[in-house]
Amino acid sequence: MFTRYPLVTIVIAQLFGTSLWFSVNGVGLALQEAVGLSESDLGLLTIAVQAGFITGTLLIATTGLADRIRASHLFAISAVLGALINAAFIGVAESVTLAAVARFATGLCLAGIYPLGMKLVVSWTPSHAGAALGWLVGMLTLGIASPHLLRGLTLHLPWQWPLLLASLLALVAALMIFKLGVGPHLPATAKSGRPWAGLAAFKQPRFRAAALGYFGHCWELYALWALVPFLVARELERLGASNSVQPWLSFAVIALGLPGCVLAGKWSRQIGSDRVACVALATSGALCLVYPLLGSASPWLLLALLGLWGVSVIADSAQFSALASATAPPERLGAALAMMNAIGFGLTIPSIALVTALWSSQSLAVIWWLLPGPILGLIAMRGFSAHQHLS
């Protein structure tokens, strides 16, 4: 499978490797009971992962590591280290400070998994990047949802089990990518790289517009994912249903992003990645606006809308990445994507902090804090269309 079906290998490895991302969130309720963490503490641990990812992407972009080291090797090393650190979290979970350090280190490792996964996809399938990256980001979504699934499967076991299973999946991902190697359509490595080379891509108007759209998308995305367990628990409480269903429903809401990404990728081949990205961003933005207004409506309606949101909120991500990949300098593609990821994920920190800190006091109204992302992202994408018509 490794070399005969490279795209399949990459997207499955992405699924396994990114299971580390929200591994702690998957056992969040159990940690609240076992260790006494609050919603704010869980928000801090989520922010720590994001901060580590940002730091890692900046490191590999500014040092040129994203293009100077073979992408498959950097991916494999990062997945192995991430698996070990994720397992080590178990020993420090009772200390919020040490737990945050462990999550930060996990985020550092994820910086060698997600952007490098995008580069590997482009190196194998450059002519259908939108569709291929749709599968990749879909698997990222499923990977982020997988801790909730692992928790559902091990609900009657100690909370440590899902973390250990996520680490095992990351080790499998490392082996898969190490055996695959880099595709023939991009250089395996760049001979040299100057600091901040990734920023040069922002001189290209269309890359800049796609990146700004991506930044608006990032403001909304991870904050919503952090809220999903709370939103699901709220509706289950209104239904009088057992809280044991919460991990399964949380997994389902986030995992619905997989078909959303795949369908968006297929659609992009007909109408273009820019239009697909705008439709998805407009849909999730509309849900940002109306969801809090429907707080007293049927819990079933709100759960259905949450499912629709799960589909649309991530569907544009791969298309923004495809647009950026097509307009960035090929010899600095890894650095450009890593820099774009670093800035975008930097914007997730204040949005996650806002919604997790204010959830207990504002409930559904915290969702309105996410609305500026889709609005500003859509405004930015008007620039992409304008420059496309001029070129």
Side-chain angles (χ1 to χ4, degrees):
M1 180 183 70
F2 296 115
T3 56
R4 188 175 180 181
Y5 305 105
L7 180 58
V8 174
T9 299
I10 296 168
V11 299
I12 292 176
Q14 183 84 339
L15 162 63
F16 290 170
T18 53
S19 66
L20 302 174
W21 212 310
F22 269 36
S23 59
V24 171
N25 299 71
V27 295
L29 296 180
L31 281 173
Q32 286 181 287
E33 297 175 2
V35 185
L37 296 182
S38 65
E39 288 90 348
S40 296
D41 292 332
L42 290 174
L44 173 64
L45 296 182
T46 305
I47 289 170
V49 179
Q50 304 300 90
F53 181 82
I54 295 159
T55 304
T57 50
L58 284 174
L59 179 65
I60 64 174
T62 57
T63 60
L65 288 175
D67 297 299
R68 296 170 65 183
I69 296 179
R70 195 172 180 86
S72 56
H73 291 176
L74 187 53
F75 184 111
I77 293 169
S78 300
V80 170
L81 291 176
L84 297 175
I85 295 167
N86 183 68
F89 173 88
I90 294 171
V92 298
E94 294 187 3
S95 168
V96 174
T97 301
L98 292 177
V101 171
R103 296 308 290 161
F104 178 87
T106 303
L108 282 175
C109 297
L110 285 163
I113 296 175
Y114 181 38
L116 275 297
M118 287 193 288
K119 182 177 180 179
L120 285 167
V121 163
V122 175
S123 77
W124 285 99
T125 57
S127 59
H128 304 300
L133 287 172
W135 275 102
L136 184 82
V137 177
M139 286 301 186
L140 163 71
T141 307
L142 198 59
I144 286 175
S146 64
H148 297 291
L149 174 62
L150 294 175
R151 185 53 183 161
L153 292 171
T154 61
L155 193 59
H156 300 295
L157 296 174
W159 60 265
Q160 293 90 340
W161 276 87
L163 293 174
L164 293 174
L165 290 174
S167 291
L168 178 60
L169 291 176
L171 291 175
V172 174
L175 177 62
M176 294 174 68
I177 293 297
F178 185 79
K179 286 182 173 291
L180 174 67
V182 179
H185 300 290
L186 286 176
T189 61
K191 292 183 179 179
S192 63
R194 56 185 177 82
W196 304 100
L199 285 176
F202 285 87
K203 295 178 182 178
Q204 304 294 330
R206 294 174 69 203
F207 177 90
R208 186 169 61 247
L212 290 173
Y214 176 76
F215 298 158
H217 151 81
C218 284
W219 174 267
E220 176 195 17
L221 175 64
Y222 280 82
L224 174 64
W225 279 347
L227 279 178
V228 163
F230 302 119
L231 294 171
V232 169
R234 178 185 186 270
E235 303 315 316
L236 289 177
E237 183 178 356
R238 294 174 65 208
L239 286 169
S242 169
N243 207 39
S244 63
V245 184
Q246 186 266 345
W248 296 98
L249 281 180
S250 297
F251 167 76
V253 168
I254 299 175
L256 281 170
L258 170 59
C261 288
V262 173
L263 291 173
K266 291 182 177 180
W267 196 21
S268 71
R269 299 179 67 175
Q270 300 175 15
I271 67 171
S273 291
D274 55 332
R275 293 180 180 176
V276 173
C278 288
V279 169
L281 196 57
T283 302
S284 63
L287 287 165
C288 268
L289 177 64
V290 304
Y291 195 94
L293 299 175
L294 299 172
S296 58
S298 165
W300 293 111
L301 173 63
L302 287 177
L303 287 172
L305 288 176
L306 197 55
L308 176 61
W309 207 347
V311 173
S312 62
V313 75
I314 186 64
D316 48 358
S317 186
Q319 305 315 310
F320 284 127
S321 296
L323 294 170
S325 298
T327 53
E331 70 278 6
R332 290 290 174 260
L333 178 60
L337 292 177
M339 188 65 70
M340 186 179 82
N341 284 161
I343 298 171
F345 278 81
L347 292 170
T348 69
I349 290 180
S351 63
I352 291 172
L354 277 170
V355 298
T356 54
L358 298 177
W359 169 258
S360 60
S361 60
Q362 295 188 6
S363 189
L364 294 185
V366 300
I367 291 172
W368 283 327
W369 289 103
L370 307 183
L371 192 55
I375 292 174
L376 297 177
L378 288 169
I379 292 172
M381 283 301 291
R382 294 179 63 186
F384 186 94
S385 299
H387 287 289
Q388 187 176 34
H389 294 149
L390 291 174
S391 60

